[in-house]
């Protein structure tokens, strides 16, 4: 199971036709399915499950909102296998109106990093002119880049390239990085 988290690159693909809720497939560099994500519809309090495959027999991660619909919500990430808290993400509410920002928290609730949208100009264009402009996010811990999240241009199917290759010191727990990609795909994807 740990091997699933050891890749430096992943492709996150949103399931095209899903009437209620959301579903995502996450592939390794060899196009092998490593995670399947199921997002429940009509939930006031977000609860996203990450599984090892589409049959959903083995739950790997859980991402849960601490509160009901909240502009500055905090989302906790749990490892379902070890039953431990991996960390959390807190959305910077007011700041995210123009440019999305998420604070990365460690297991002890300390702020350790930040995930930000690429540029203010591009963010404004996305929000007010066209949702066809792909989003890009950069994750940092301290002064070190640890991940990039780049949406490919595709008006029909959301595809995201997740890259950890710059994190040579392994500053970011890959479980938290995978959870970040899921959260950004699910939550930010609803803004379109």
């Amino acid at each position: 199971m740990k091997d699933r988290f050891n890749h430096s690159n992943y492709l996150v693909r949103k399931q095209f036709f899903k009437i209620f809720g959301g579903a995502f497939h996450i592939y390794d560099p060899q196009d092998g399915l490593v995670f399947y994500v199921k997002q429940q519809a009509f939930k006031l309090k977000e609860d996203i499950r990450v599984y090892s495959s589409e049959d959903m027999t083995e739950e790997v991660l859980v991402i849960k909102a601490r509160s009901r619909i909240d502009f500055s919500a905090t989302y906790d990430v749990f490892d379902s296998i070890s039953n431990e808290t991996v960390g959390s993400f807190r959305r910077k509410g007011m700041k995210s109106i123009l440019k999305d920002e998420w604070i990365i928290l460690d297991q002890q609730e300390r702020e350790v990093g930040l995930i930000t949208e690429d540029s203010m100009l591009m963010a404004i264009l996305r929000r007010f002119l066209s949702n066809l402009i792909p989003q890009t996010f950069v994750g940092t811990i301290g002064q070190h880049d640890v991940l990039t999240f780049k949406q490919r241009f595709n008006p029909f199917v959301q595809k995201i390239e997740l890259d950890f290759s710059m994190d040579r010191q392994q500053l970011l727990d890959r479980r938290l990085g995978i959870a970040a990609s899921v959260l950004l795909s699910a939550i930010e994807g609803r803004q379109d």
Side-chain angles (χ1 to χ4, degrees), residues 73-118:
T74 299
Y75 297 84
D76 296 312
V77 180
F78 304 95
D79 185 313
S80 302
I81 296 168
S82 67
N83 206 21
E84 69 176 323
T85 301
V86 179
S88 304
F89 298 100
R90 181 176 301 130
R91 186 178 188 150
K92 285 191 169 185
M94 289 306 288
K95 227 174 179 184
S96 288
I97 290 175
L98 297 178
K99 179 181 172 186
D100 288 319
E101 290 192 16
W102 293 79
I103 299 168
I104 303 170
L105 304 169
D106 67 9
Q107 295 169 321
Q108 289 76 39
E109 305 261 339
R110 295 177 298 216
E111 185 176 327
V112 294
L114 195 61
I115 297 175
T116 58
E117 200 168 359
D118 53 354

Side-chain angles (χ1 to χ4, degrees), residues 168-180:
R168 291 184 180 86
Q169 298 174 22
Q170 301 271 326
L171 298 173
L172 179 68
D173 185 321
R174 291 290 187 271
R175 297 172 297 176
L176 207 52
I178 294 294

Side-chain angles (χ1 to χ4, degrees), residues 19-157:
I19 296 174
F20 298 112
F24 303 90
H25 295 89
I26 302 176
Y27 299 96
D28 65 17
Q30 292 75 39
D31 294 325
L33 181 67
V34 286
F35 302 107
Y36 177 72
V37 180
K38 176 80 170 162
Q39 181 183 16
Q40 298 296 321
F42 310 117
K43 287 257 188 189
L44 290 177
K45 199 170 166 184
E46 200 70 63
D47 184 346
I48 303 170
R49 306 293 167 137
V50 180
Y51 300 94
S52 61
S53 65
E54 281 187 271
D55 64 16
M56 299 189 300
T57 55
E58 184 178 27
E59 187 179 273
V60 180
L61 296 172
V62 176
I63 305 165
K64 283 189 170 191
R66 289 187 185 169
S67 58
R68 295 174 196 249
I69 301 169
D70 183 1
F71 196 53
S72 297
T74 299
Y75 297 84
D76 296 312
V77 180
F78 304 95
D79 185 313
S80 302
I81 296 168
S82 67
N83 206 21
E84 69 176 323
T85 301
V86 179
S88 304
F89 298 100
R90 181 176 301 130
R91 186 178 188 150
K92 285 191 169 185
M94 289 306 288
K95 227 174 179 184
S96 288
I97 290 175
L98 297 178
K99 179 181 172 186
D100 288 319
E101 290 192 16
W102 293 79
I103 299 168
I104 303 170
L105 304 169
D106 67 9
Q107 295 169 321
Q108 289 76 39
E109 305 261 339
R110 295 177 298 216
E111 185 176 327
V112 294
L114 195 61
I115 297 175
T116 58
E117 200 168 359
D118 53 354
S119 76
M120 180 73 76
L121 175 63
M122 294 304 289
I124 290 170
L125 289 173
R126 284 182 197 106
R127 282 156 184 72
F128 299 110
L129 297 179
S130 174
N131 63 2
L132 293 177
I133 300 170
Q135 282 185 301
T136 299
F137 290 86
V138 175
T140 56
I141 292 186
Q143 300 300 315
H144 305 282
D145 288 351
V146 293
L147 72 84
T148 57
F149 171 100
K150 290 183 181 178
Q151 187 178 12
R152 292 182 185 172
F153 175 76
N154 188 322
F156 305 107
V157 179

Side-chain angles (χ1 to χ4, degrees), residues 6-17:
N6 288 336
H7 301 290
S8 59
N9 298 85
Y10 295 87
L11 175 68
V12 181
R13 186 176 190 272
K14 185 174 187 175
Q15 191 169 327
F16 177 65
F17 188 71

